[in-house]
Amino acid sequence: MEPLASAIDPESPEFKARALAMAGLLADLDRDLTAARSDRSEKALARHREQGKLPASERLDRLLDANTPFLEVGALAAHGLYDGGVHKAGTFGGIGVISGRECVVSVNDAMVKGGTIYPMGVKKALRLQAIAMENHLPFVSLIDSGGAFLPLQSEVFPDADDGGRIFYNQAHMSRMGLPQITAVMGLCTAGAAYIPAMSDEVVHVRGTGAIFLAGPPLVKAATGEEVTSEDLGGAELHCSVSGVSDHYAEDDADAIRIVRELVANLPPPAASGADLASPRPPLYPPEELNGIVPAELAEPFDIREIIARITDDSAFLEFKPRYGATLVCGWARIHGYKVGILGNNGVLFSECAQKAAHFIQLCEKRRVPLLFLQNVPGFMVGREYERGGITKHGHQMVNAVATATVPKLTVIVGGSFGAGNYAMCGRAYGPRFLWTWPNARIGVMGAAQAAGVLISVANGQRARAGLPPLTTEEESWLRTPVLEGQAREGSAMYSTANLWDDGIIAPARTRDVLGLCLAVCARAPDPGFRSTFGTFRV
């Protein structure tokens, strides 16, 4: 593979302006991430200390091996939702190394709303389980939860993807042979009680850990019986009498020690069959990614400039470089792992869709993971393109993306609009991981286009009713709320708060994050099936 040549001049005014805009977004991101990790009330912290508990962040730090990376998922989940205080949707979660073994980790934070589970907390729990199942990773939970947040129980309890799905997934994870280890470090009540009950091994902390389907107040209301939390569901009861728990821990530190020993006792993971070479750094500094993407999404840039700063040796073997030029496809390595890359250089035409379908088929047959770098305004529209069959060709690309069984990774580096989001492996198309940059925008269409459509529709209705077109002032009344709504709901922050992605990452971290993701994906066994057809030159 030949290295990509870069046309970027870091000393140019254009580059510096773009880098300055990105620096502002990154400063906001750092502020929000710091608040999500550490903004807890003194009252909650004092109660934790009084009970002899460690804060969730410290529990996580002690659980993971020192000086190893932690790939956090949903770091800003629920940001700005509810009353703004449900930090991380109540849970620290991600992929970390415990006793030398990569695991999915979930740590309840009882200093956030007493550890009660909000709807977004359920969504985050399901996402973490999906990561474990897709990548065949052990699942380690540190439980300290008061169960469902009752005022929102209708959004937590009854539906197919509500709280019950957590236990459904646990059953399937057990069937798949994925180890599940749970430490009960605080309340584990109501639905949360089923998490340890359905785990392989349970560690129970004396004095603070309590497992029961109904707490003392509900027991008294239902039966008249008066009982303490310890007598109802404490470590002594469940380790010595009921057998619900397996390992007795004196305190948080002891529980974490036992969990680490249990992970160390697991059988070794299967050897990776990934195509792996010695990693080599890019020729260009990853920090230059801050100055490549324009602040205005309508302003074009070459996606190869991003590729050159995330791939080993900045090398890239491009596929069909002269055909469907607004979609760039080709092979590269990231931290030694081979990957097929699809990146946008503009709107998707029929030729782009056909090229993508062909390329994805090749990667599928060769078992090469796919990386989608999204900056896509959508598919081209208009009479000429409909006559040329763009809907049919778009279907070929979307079908290939949906049915590819190799690991798929997505990074939204700019805009992600309309069916382009689907064709470039948006959330609905099952990427193993999906990350966004701070400048990313997501929506059915851009704000200006959406406002223009609504004004056009309104004028059409008025014309049919024999009324004059909207005045400039009336158009403004219609346009302003659309622009404001799209500015908020199309932002990367809104996306990550709603878990439409796995997190916002700084551009300069993209290569390392992708390297971690590819390493995790390489651990999963080959599904053993793929396309039953030969490659179609579509």
Side-chain angles (χ1 to χ4, degrees), residues 350-351 354 382-393:
S350 284
E351 296 85 351
Q354 293 176 304
R383 177 176 165 181
E384 175 188 349
Y385 303 101
E386 295 294 351
R387 287 171 63 88
I390 194 165
T391 302
K392 174 180 65 178
H393 298 136

Side-chain angles (χ1 to χ4, degrees), residues 343-357:
N344 302 113
N345 260 351
V347 70
L348 292 169
F349 294 89
S350 284
E351 296 85 351
C352 303
Q354 293 176 304
K355 172 179 170 178

Side-chain angles (χ1 to χ4, degrees), residues 71 95 102 131 134-137 270-277 279 310-312 331-341 363 367-373 406-411 431-435 509-525:
L71 187 62
I95 301 173
E102 290 172 336
I131 290 171
E134 288 173 345
N135 299 289
H136 285 246
L137 296 173
S272 169
D275 183 345
L276 183 61
I310 63 173
T311 62
D312 292 7
W331 290 277
R333 290 187 183 272
I334 297 176
H335 278 285
Y337 290 94
K338 193 169 186 179
V339 63
I341 300 176
C363 290
R367 309 310 297 160
V368 178
L370 293 164
L371 168 61
F372 296 82
L373 298 176
V406 295
K408 295 173 286 191
L409 310 176
T410 301
V411 183
R432 294 280 184 95
F433 296 95
L434 189 155
W435 310 96
R509 288 191 61 226
T510 303
R511 170 180 161 83
D512 289 342
V513 168
L514 290 174
L516 289 171
C517 292
L518 289 165
V520 167
C521 293
R523 298 280 184 262

Side-chain angles (χ1 to χ4, degrees), residues 45 48-49 53-60 107 109 111 252:
L45 183 57
H48 242 56
R49 287 172 175 158
K53 293 181 179 180
L54 298 173
S57 58
E58 189 171 342
R59 288 173 175 172
L60 177 64
V107 181
D109 191 344
M111 288 196 292
D252 281 9

